[in-house]
Amino acid sequence: MTTLKAVRGTRDLLPPETAFWNRIETTARAVFARYNFGEIRTPVFEDTSLFARSVGEETDIVSKEMYTWDDRARAQSEKTQSLTLRPENTAGVVRAYIEHKLGETGQLQKLYYIGPQFRRERPQKGRYRQFSQIGAEVIGPPSAGSESPLRDAEILEMLATLLDELGITGWKLEINSVGSSADRARYNEVLRTALVSVAPRMCEDCQRRAVSNPLRVLDCKVPEDQPIIDTLPKITDSLDEASKAHFAQVLAALDAAGVPYTRNHRLVRGLDYYTRTTFEFTHGGLGAQNALLGGGRYDGLSEAIGGPKAPGIGFAMGEDRLVLTLLALDTAKPQLADVYVAPLGENMNPAALTLARELRRNGLSVELGDGSFRLKKSFEAADKVARRIVILGEDELQSGILTVKDFSTGIQTKVPRAELAAHLAGK
Ligand code: HAM
């Protein structure tokens, strides 16, 4: 029989690496709480048209990478429906914002999410078919200040803080403005005209995009096309005064807060819903897939999927890539339990469980051995998984005095049982 394996592009996350995932999520939740964000959890699959209408039909995500199927009707009352595993979470959040009429509160909605996303991409380091994003969105009616450039700057300042607190050093923030939807429409036409003479020399995808959605030409990664793309008109030159002023205010706030950035006029991002500010944080340690996170403003998205006017801005971090970066930065240390409790003889097993229970209830992490192990085997096992070992035999049980051996120093200490938890917690 052939052995079954995890599907291409998916993987199992195992300890000790999962400790990184947990640490990242705990830090992210703590930072989000300080900025007064609340958690949203949307379904893993949605109606296919949600992504077609928000992310955009012409994007790589929608045209090539979605896991889509016809969900067959099971009863007369049901219709067969085209469903899709979410390739990203912004569309789902905005759908939920509309469905639950969150705009009627008149408040800004500050929502974060952590969860799996699915794209049928070519797997490589940092690129998977199931991956996890940690993201956040700020969305609300214009009267709540949702269009303010301060929202953009605050999100970027929060991200700089979060990456610093995660211990990710050496990140780079790239930022651009793609203007209002009118600016983008104007730029698309400028590009369309400019592409007429050069598109025949470009890749097949670009030839198609030159006609259907010229902006997407800027996403092209084909090396031979890059010199051609460099000669195309820049979006910066198509921005109207309001968009220019908005962008200038975002940058001024970042300057004041001391958040460093680089402007990149080609950063239009591979999703159609963006307006005005777009950004990515990259990291050199990641290789080809160097984007730690990406995001931007999407002032027309709610209306595009049938909702009220609700400008917004958000981002999503690739959690897999955060873990890779931390591992590369060598902050990875194996997680060791505080203590290994080794019962001496099988008849000591019940007493050892009781001692482990006492210590665990005091907040210590405890690895419990087995009384059938010889002392040498207990020491060898303990040395691999714990920082210290406590032997529990008849004598220790009777006297109430236990011996703790610390593996890093080699020192043995005698400790009364009543003081053991405090002693172990003290180091
Ligand atoms: P995105 O740029 O498509 O944006 O994805 C955001 C991040 O998710 C990327 O920078 C990367 O770190 C990670 N990522 C994307 N695809 C993969 C993959 N196949 N494997 C591993 N990691 C991946 C969005 O998804 C937008 N929804 C972000 C956003 C939120 N914009 C506004 N609000």
Side-chain angles (χ1 to χ4, degrees):
M1 225 191 327
T2 50
T3 44
L4 291 169
K5 291 193 172 150
V7 172
R8 185 169 144 80
T10 72
R11 58 214 179 106
D12 302 306
L13 303 174
L14 306 170
E17 195 185 305
T18 36
F20 278 88
W21 288 74
N22 287 325
R23 206 185 85 206
I24 288 169
E25 289 169 19
T26 305
T27 306
R29 286 178 196 281
V31 170
F32 291 146
R34 295 208 311 264
Y35 288 76
N36 207 22
F37 279 73
E39 184 174 3
I40 181 168
R41 300 187 189 198
T42 66
V44 164
F45 53 86
E46 301 264 3
D47 197 305
T48 304
S49 61
L50 172 66
F51 302 113
R53 282 162 63 186
S54 56
V55 176
E57 300 270 13
E58 263 303 316
T59 58
D60 280 352
I61 295 178
V62 173
S63 65
K64 307 183 191 162
E65 297 169 0
M66 295 207 301
Y67 287 94
T68 297
W69 70 99
D70 274 336
D71 206 54
R72 275 176 292 124
R74 297 197 54 183
Q76 288 260 301
S77 56
E78 286 181 352
K79 277 196 289 200
T80 296
Q81 202 181 1
S82 176
L83 301 180
T84 293
L85 286 180
R86 63 183 185 197
E88 62 100 54
N89 219 155
T90 310
V93 170
V94 177
R95 190 228 2 97
Y97 173 91
I98 299 166
E99 187 168 335
H100 301 288
K101 300 187 170 50
L102 299 181
E104 290 179 12
T105 62
Q107 306 290 317
L108 275 185
Q109 300 297 311
K110 299 167 70 175
L111 304 164
Y112 79 87
Y113 47 84
I114 301 178
Q117 320 292 330
F118 306 86
R119 297 184 193 175
R120 193 188 280 107
E121 296 196 81
R122 200 169 42 78
Q124 63 178 88
K125 182 185 165 204
R127 189 163 71 189
Y128 311 99
R129 291 182 168 178
Q130 174 174 335
F131 59 100
S132 178
Q133 284 186 341
I134 301 180
E137 314 291 346
V138 178
I139 177 170
S143 58
S146 55
E147 274 173 308
S148 166
L150 187 54
R151 300 282 74 82
D152 310 38
E154 187 185 22
I155 283 268
L156 292 163
E157 187 278 320
M158 176 171 83
L159 281 166
T161 299
L162 176 50
L163 291 176
D164 288 347
E165 289 193 16
L166 287 172
I168 295 184
T169 49
W171 50 261
K172 184 173 164 204
L173 162 58
E174 295 187 30
I175 189 166
N176 190 26
S177 174
V178 296
S180 64
S181 51
D183 295 337
R184 284 183 53 157
R186 192 168 342 110
Y187 179 60
N188 246 331
E189 290 323 304
V190 171
L191 265 188
R192 198 187 300 279
T193 311
L195 281 163
V196 171
S197 57
V198 293
R201 288 189 276 130
M202 301 181 79
C203 70
E204 256 178 49
D205 277 345
C206 281
Q207 295 190 21
R208 201 190 64 242
R209 292 163 178 154
V211 181
S212 57
N213 192 348
L215 194 70
R216 294 274 70 91
V217 167
L218 302 191
D219 299 336
C220 176
K221 299 279 184 313
V222 175
E224 295 75 33
D225 287 358
Q226 301 310 308
I228 303 177
I229 295 172
D230 285 340
T231 65
L232 293 170
K234 297 183 175 59
I235 196 159
T236 331
D237 299 325
S238 289
L239 302 188
D240 67 12
E241 288 311 311
S243 295
K244 278 187 193 153
H246 191 277
F247 192 41
Q249 289 178 58
V250 175
L251 300 184
L254 290 178
D255 289 337
V259 177
Y261 58 83
T262 309
R263 289 180 62 170
N264 174 359
H265 69 87
R266 263 189 71 176
L267 190 75
V268 293
R269 311 247 315 120
L271 300 92
D272 275 353
Y273 51 61
Y274 289 114
T275 53
R276 295 192 167 169
T277 313
T278 52
F279 57 85
E280 277 179 12
F281 281 69
T282 56
H283 197 281
L286 277 168
Q289 300 304 315
N290 69 350
L292 278 174
L293 66 95
R297 186 164 267 291
Y298 43 85
D299 292 345
L301 176 54
S302 169
E303 287 141 298
I305 57 175
K309 190 167 165 55
I313 177 159
F315 66 86
M317 322 206 276
E319 198 176 355
D320 306 71
R321 296 186 189 176
L322 294 176
V323 172
L324 280 174
T325 310
L326 283 175
L327 289 171
L329 287 172
D330 203 26
T331 53
K333 287 197 191 71
Q335 283 271 90
L336 293 177
D338 292 320
V339 68
Y340 185 102
V341 173
L344 207 59
E346 279 173 73
N347 60 333
M348 293 308 292
N349 275 348
L353 179 65
T354 311
L355 179 62
R357 176 177 159 96
E358 255 169 55
L359 298 175
R360 286 170 175 151
R361 288 194 166 210
N362 276 287
L364 293 156
S365 59
V366 179
E367 195 57 52
L368 181 57
D370 190 84
S372 68
F373 293 177
R374 288 178 184 283
L375 202 53
K376 186 163 175 275
K377 181 169 172 181
S378 287
F379 269 88
E380 283 167 2
D383 197 18
K384 292 195 184 91
V385 295
R387 290 157 52 209
R388 289 165 294 208
I389 185 168
V390 172
I391 309 291
L392 189 65
E394 281 294 352
D395 290 351
E396 286 80 9
L397 194 62
Q398 294 308 324
S399 65
I401 303 291
L402 298 151
T403 304
V404 179
K405 178 170 178 184
D406 188 315
F407 290 119
S408 61
T409 60
I411 295 172
Q412 300 206 26
T413 322
K414 290 201 179 312
V415 186
R417 181 167 182 156
E419 291 165 24
L420 184 61
H423 173 84
L424 294 171
K427 282 193 205 147

